[in-house]
Amino acid sequence: SETSLLTRRPGAPDAAPMSDGYARPADEDALIALVRRARRDGAKLRVRGSGHSVDAAIFTDGFDGRGVPPGGGVDVLLDHFDQIALAEDAAGATVRVGGGCHLGRAPYGPSGPAPWAKSLNYRLERAGWALPDLGGISHQTVAGFLMTGSAGGTTQYSLPSAIEGIRFVDGTGTVHDVAPGDELFEAVGVSMGLLGVVTEVRFRLEPTYAIVGDQTTVRVDDPSAPVDLFAADDAPRSLRRFLKETPYTRLMWWPQRGFERLQIWRAARMGWVPGEQPKPYRELGRAPRMAALAGSLIYTVVGNLDDVRAIPSALSDWYAALEGTLDGAPDPNACLPLPSDARPHSAEEVLAWIATRLRSRAPTEPLRTHPLAELHDAIVADLDTMLAALPPEAFGQTVWDRVVRALVGLLAALVRRLTDRPWVQRAAKVLRASLPTLMPHVLGLFVTDGSQVFYDGWRCGLPMDNQMDDRLWPTEFTELWIPIEHTAKVMATLRAHYAGDGTAEGAYAATGAFCCEVYATGKSPFWLSPSHDGDVVRIDVFWFGRNAGTPEAFYAPFWDALRPFGFRPHWGKWLPPPSPDWRAYYRARYPQLDRFLELRARLDPDGVFATDYWRAHLGF
C-alpha cells in the first residue's frame, strides 16, 4: 500500500473535531479513528459531498441534509481531503487526488463555497493536463461523483477508464489501495459509500484540450435537425447513431403538446490555442440572472397552485437571490466572468421582463376569449393596483394582453405575499386549469429557437449546466440507463406516454411543465455502474424541486414503461420504492450484486455504512 496522500498533520487530533454537527477529519488517521469509534458505538457513518444526490442516499438515517445533523449518526465532510499530487512521466501524467476535492467550483455547501482555485479541474488545467470527460455539472467531489456512477454525455471518452487506483477506509478502519484487475476495484468504483470512505483516487491524465460545438433548438419534427428522435436505429439521423458518433452531446426534450422542442448541445475536441479568447456557451442567454429569476418564480408558482399559502416560503431562495445573494456580484455559477446583467434586479423588473416577453409570444390565431382574460375583467381594479409600478408599455388591450396581465398580476400578488386576497386563490385555480394550453407559451420565454456556437476549454465547456443555479433551479431526477440497442423503442415508448389520453389535459398530466434529458454513456468496469456491460442511452426525467409534494407518482409510469427494456437506475437519483419485486429486478440486472453484498458484509461487518435506505433498496 502506498503512503497516503493525506499525511499526518502536526497536532491533528485522533478523532475528528465536530463543527456545525459534521465531522471533519483532518487526515486519514483521523478518519480511521472516526470509523472505528462509530463501529464501537454502533453508529452509522456517511459522507456528504456537494449534496447532489437524493438526501436519503447520502446521509445517516433520519437526516435530510438541512441544518445541523442530529445526534446518533456521524455525518462526515471531507473538507481537508482536497490535496492533489501531480506526477509527469514518459507516458504523460497521473494525479493522486483526495476524495473530498471538488471537481469544479461548488457554489453552496455547509462550509460555504468551494472555490475554483482549490478544485481538481482548475489545478489540472493550469498545469496543462485534463480529464477525458466531465458531467453536466462539476460541483461534486471526486469521490461523490464516482460513488453513484455519474458520467458525462459521451460514448467515445471514459472517465472510469482513466482511473488507475482507488484508496478507501472500510468499516473496520482498514485501508485498501486497489487498482484495475482487483475485484475490490471493480466493486468499490460505484458503491454508494457502502464499502467504505474513498480517501483518494488516481487518474491517468491527458494533455489539455478545447471543445468547439453548437447548440440548436428546433421543433422535434424539424427535418433539418441533426437528429430525429424517433427514427429507426439504422436510419441516417437516428438517435442511436447520433449518440454513438457525436463526441460529446446532451439533448433536452420539451414534449409539451403545442410546444415540442428539442435542444441539441454537441461538441468535439480540438487543440487549445494559446491566447485564444473563449466563446462560452450561454445556457440562459445574455441575461442569465433575469432569466433565472423569472424562471424560478414561474416554476415555483406553477408547482404550488393548489395552496398559494405555501408559495412565499417556497420562494425563500428566490427572495435571497433577488435581495442580495446574486445582485451586483459575479455569477457564482459561471466558470469564467461573463458579460451579463450582473446588477441588482427588483421584483418589478422581473415581472416586467416576464410580461414583455409573454406579450411577444401571442398565439398565431388571435384569441376570442380565455378564462384568464375573463378573470382579468372581473378583477381589473385589483390588477391596476397590483401592477401600478410596472411600465404601461408592458401591456396592451387584446385578449392575449389581458391573459398576460392577469398572470403577471397573480405573480405580483404572490411575490408580495398577499395570499389572503380572495381573488388570488381564484386566479390560481383558473391558472391551473389553463396550464395545458398556456404552458407552451410560457416555455417559450426560456427555450427559444435558434443556434449558438461556442468554443471553450474542457474545464468550462464540458459541464454545460454549471450556469443553472442550484437554489433557483432545484431539480429532482429519476435517471434510467438502458442498453443503447433499445434506443428507438425507448423513444417510441416515451412519445406514446407523453401523448397521454389524447387531450391537452391528459398530455399535460403526462409531460408536466419540465423537460426530459437524453444522454449516452459508454461501458464502465465497475460492477454496479448502470453501464457496466455496454453503452447506454440515459433518460433523465426532471421534476422541479420547489413543487408541492414529491415526484414518485409522476415517476412511476416511467419506471413501469421502461422496465421491459432493462433499465438500470442512477443510484444517486430517485429510485422506485423499495419492494421484494424491485430487489429481485436489481439482482437480475446487476449480475455481480450478490458478490458485491458479500464483499460489503466482509468489509463492513457491523454495518457502519449501511443505512435503512440502502438496506431497503438492496435487500441486505
Side-chain angles (χ1 to χ4, degrees):
S1 177
E2 295 183 10
T3 302
S4 171
L5 177 67
L6 298 148
T7 56
R8 185 71 168 167
R9 296 178 179 179
D14 290 335
M18 304 297 287
S19 174
D20 298 331
Y22 285 94
R24 292 175 167 85
D27 55 29
E28 195 175 75
D29 287 343
L31 173 64
I32 291 168
L34 194 67
V35 169
R36 288 175 175 167
R37 189 175 73 191
R39 184 187 186 196
R40 180 196 67 207
D41 295 345
K44 302 299 180 189
L45 183 147
R46 298 288 295 172
V47 179
R48 174 195 171 120
S50 60
H52 274 275
S53 292
V54 172
D55 293 336
I58 305 171
F59 301 106
T60 53
D61 295 327
F63 182 41
D64 64 2
R66 294 162 181 79
V68 177
V74 183
D75 287 274
V76 177
L77 277 171
L78 297 179
D79 300 52
H80 300 300
F81 288 55
D82 61 356
Q83 296 91 336
I84 75 168
L86 186 65
E88 299 184 4
D89 55 33
T94 59
V95 67
R96 298 167 59 197
V97 56
C101 184
H102 290 266
L103 288 163
R105 185 183 191 275
Y108 308 113
S111 303
W116 273 115
K118 296 187 72 175
S119 71
L120 174 63
N121 294 348
Y122 179 85
R123 289 186 278 180
L124 292 182
E125 186 181 61
R126 295 267 293 184
W129 298 102
L131 295 172
D133 183 31
L134 294 171
I137 59 171
S138 59
H139 305 158
Q140 306 99 322
T141 61
V142 170
F145 187 81
L146 296 179
M147 285 295 93
T148 54
S150 298
T154 177
T155 60
Q156 298 184 18
Y157 302 101
S158 169
L159 189 62
S161 68
I163 300 174
E164 293 193 338
I166 299 173
R167 186 180 175 97
F168 68 100
V169 177
D170 72 15
T172 69
T174 303
V175 176
H176 301 266
D177 237 318
V178 296
D182 183 333
E183 74 166 2
L184 268 186
F185 175 83
E186 296 172 355
V188 78
V190 176
S191 55
M192 298 82 81
L194 293 172
L195 301 186
V197 179
V198 172
T199 61
E200 181 183 318
V201 181
R202 300 189 294 281
F203 293 100
R204 169 63 57 179
L205 304 175
E206 53 190 271
T208 193
Y209 56 89
I211 63 166
V212 60
D214 60 22
Q215 177 176 280
T216 304
T217 303
V218 296
R219 290 194 60 85
V220 168
D221 58 0
D222 188 335
S224 68
V227 61
D228 180 348
L229 282 186
F230 308 112
D233 281 334
D234 58 355
R237 294 193 301 125
S238 75
L239 176 58
R240 178 181 177 180
R241 178 171 291 185
F242 181 80
L243 295 175
K244 293 283 285 186
E245 295 178 355
T246 308
Y248 298 100
T249 188
R250 186 279 302 275
L251 302 119
M252 299 287 266
W253 176 21
W254 301 84
Q256 286 75 16
R257 179 172 172 171
F259 191 64
E260 293 107 355
R261 290 302 193 275
L262 180 63
Q263 199 172 67
I264 307 160
W265 183 101
R266 58 182 177 172
R269 288 190 185 188
M270 65 177 294
W272 181 256
V273 180
E276 183 78 12
Q277 183 66 31
K279 185 178 182 181
Y281 166 63
R282 296 175 181 270
E283 189 162 17
L284 288 173
R286 293 185 174 275
R289 302 285 185 88
M290 183 63 79
L293 288 165
S296 180
L297 172 60
I298 289 173
Y299 269 99
T300 303
V301 169
V302 164
N304 291 273
L305 289 173
D306 285 338
D307 184 4
V308 295
R309 295 170 299 177
I311 291 176
S313 60
L315 284 172
S316 58
D317 287 325
W318 187 87
Y319 290 122
L322 186 74
E323 295 164 3
T325 303
L326 298 181
D327 294 346
D331 186 343
N333 305 289
C335 185
L336 296 173
L338 297 175
S340 69
D341 54 343
R343 62 177 182 79
H345 291 303
S346 66
E348 287 71 24
E349 284 181 294
V350 177
L351 294 168
W353 187 89
I354 294 171
T356 301
R357 290 177 69 89
L358 269 179
R359 276 196 70 198
S360 69
R361 296 197 56 79
T364 305
E365 294 293 328
L367 296 175
R368 294 184 178 181
T369 185
H370 192 280
L372 282 172
E374 296 171 4
L375 174 71
H376 168 278
D377 298 341
I379 60 172
V380 64
D382 290 303
L383 294 177
D384 287 342
T385 301
M386 202 60 55
L387 301 174
L390 271 62
E393 60 269 20
F395 304 103
Q397 299 300 320
T398 68
V399 173
W400 177 249
D401 290 327
R402 284 153 44 214
V403 169
V404 172
R405 202 164 182 268
L407 172 58
V408 177
L410 173 61
L411 296 177
L414 294 172
V415 163
R416 293 168 188 166
R417 303 178 174 89
L418 302 178
T419 58
D420 58 342
R421 302 288 177 91
W423 69 267
V424 170
Q425 187 63 64
R426 179 183 169 195
K429 291 180 179 179
V430 174
L431 174 58
R432 182 174 182 189
S434 301
L435 285 178
T437 55
L438 184 63
M439 204 63 197
H441 301 284
V442 174
L443 292 175
L445 299 182
F446 314 104
V447 185
T448 55
D449 293 348
S451 299
Q452 62 170 300
V453 175
F454 52 86
Y455 164 76
D456 212 336
W458 65 278
R459 170 176 71 93
C460 295
L462 288 178
M464 78 291 287
D465 292 326
N466 271 353
Q467 300 165 50
M468 300 298 289
D469 188 278
D470 293 337
R471 292 186 175 178
L472 291 177
W473 295 92
T475 304
E476 304 287 347
F477 304 74
T478 191
E479 187 171 318
L480 312 178
W481 300 33
I482 301 163
I484 203 165
E485 56 267 26
H486 299 315
T487 299
K489 293 179 180 178
V490 165
M491 298 309 295
T493 300
L494 289 174
R495 180 168 58 175
H497 169 69
Y498 282 140
D501 61 5
T503 66
E505 292 74 18
Y508 185 74
T511 65
F514 224 153
C515 60
C516 174
E517 184 177 42
V518 182
Y519 270 113
T521 290
K523 182 178 179 179
S524 168
F526 301 124
W527 289 350
L528 295 195
S529 168
S531 64
H532 171 58
D533 52 7
D535 295 350
V536 297
V537 58
R538 293 160 54 188
I539 306 299
D540 299 2
V541 184
F542 290 175
W543 169 271
F544 187 65
R546 299 282 180 259
N547 288 345
T550 56
E552 290 100 330
F554 183 70
Y555 288 157
F558 294 91
W559 294 327
D560 291 340
L562 299 183
R563 179 169 174 162
F565 303 109
F567 77 77
R568 291 168 173 164
H570 184 304
W571 295 113
K573 310 305 180 185
W574 282 83
L575 305 177
S579 69
D581 180 48
W582 280 110
R583 289 192 287 270
Y585 175 85
Y586 297 146
R587 277 174 169 76
R589 295 303 305 143
Y590 292 93
Q592 296 290 347
L593 179 56
D594 284 331
R595 178 57 181 153
F596 174 88
L597 294 178
E598 290 172 7
L599 290 174
R600 209 217 71 74
R602 190 185 85 200
L603 297 175
D604 183 22
D606 296 298
V608 172
F609 309 122
T611 57
D612 291 344
Y613 177 85
W614 289 114
R615 288 178 183 275
H617 280 288
L618 297 182
F620 64 89

